[in-house]
Amino acid sequence: MKQIGDAFAFPFRDPDWISKFLIGALMVLLSSVLSGLLFLLGYSVRISQRVMRKDRNPLPDWSDSGALFVIGFKYVVLYVVYLLPIIAIVLMLFFLVIIAALTAGEGTGVSLLLLLYVVLFFATVPYAIAPAIFTPLITIRFAERDEIGDG
């Protein structure tokens, strides 16, 4: 039970936690324009790295923002690679809808396209859920060396 409590309490043990939280809050606000998201992702990877090294104060400083941005960008590229099959299937579904709309007068063709659409849609559901389930594993593997290939 102590480990669960440590997971929630460790940020407040850092002597500079207030300033780190305020900068993090600013990055959350900047996430609405996507620039802050890359810094936040880099920061979370750095936290994972420091926890794996068992640092006493795992909250890193925000001083190396360029490195945080690069790490966050690499992490986004890694995650997009995992999502490429979903993106490809969604594009196929989009084109199926266009084809169905263009051939709306032909009953059998539309029925087959609709059937294919439903099959592809339900085939994507397990794969769409998988990256969310494996995100902790992906993050840990990526955090070990900051290499996209490791993720």
Side-chain angles (χ1 to χ4, degrees):
M1 190 60 122
K2 182 182 178 326
Q3 290 178 345
I4 294 173
D6 287 344
F8 292 104
F10 82 87
F12 304 106
R13 292 189 187 127
D14 192 301
D16 297 326
W17 73 271
I18 293 174
S19 64
K20 292 175 182 179
F21 270 70
L22 290 174
I23 294 170
L26 176 65
M27 291 300 160
V28 168
L29 291 174
L30 289 176
S31 291
S32 63
V33 291
L34 293 178
S35 64
L37 179 66
L38 298 175
F39 291 105
L40 286 172
L41 289 172
Y43 194 79
S44 67
V45 170
R46 280 284 165 92
I47 289 174
S48 298
Q49 291 169 338
R50 293 178 76 158
V51 167
M52 287 189 300
R53 289 194 309 254
K54 298 183 184 350
D55 283 357
R56 181 163 168 75
N57 293 323
L59 290 181
D61 291 327
W62 286 94
S63 59
D64 197 6
S65 59
L68 294 176
F69 185 85
V70 170
I71 292 170
F73 182 78
K74 286 180 177 180
Y75 189 75
V76 166
V77 169
L78 170 65
Y79 215 77
V80 166
V81 167
Y82 276 101
L83 296 178
L84 280 176
I86 295 171
I87 294 168
I89 291 172
V90 167
L91 287 174
M92 283 192 296
L93 293 174
F94 177 72
F95 287 122
L96 282 175
V97 169
I98 291 174
I99 292 169
L102 293 175
T103 61
E106 303 167 19
T108 307
V110 173
S111 298
L112 289 175
L113 285 174
L114 180 62
L115 178 65
L116 182 60
Y117 180 87
V118 169
V119 168
L120 282 174
F121 177 80
F122 284 110
T124 60
V125 171
Y127 193 83
I129 294 171
I133 292 172
F134 293 114
T135 295
L137 178 62
I138 294 167
T139 303
I140 290 168
R141 293 294 305 243
F142 175 74
E144 289 174 349
R145 294 189 312 157
D146 290 342
E147 296 291 330
I148 294 173
D150 291 342

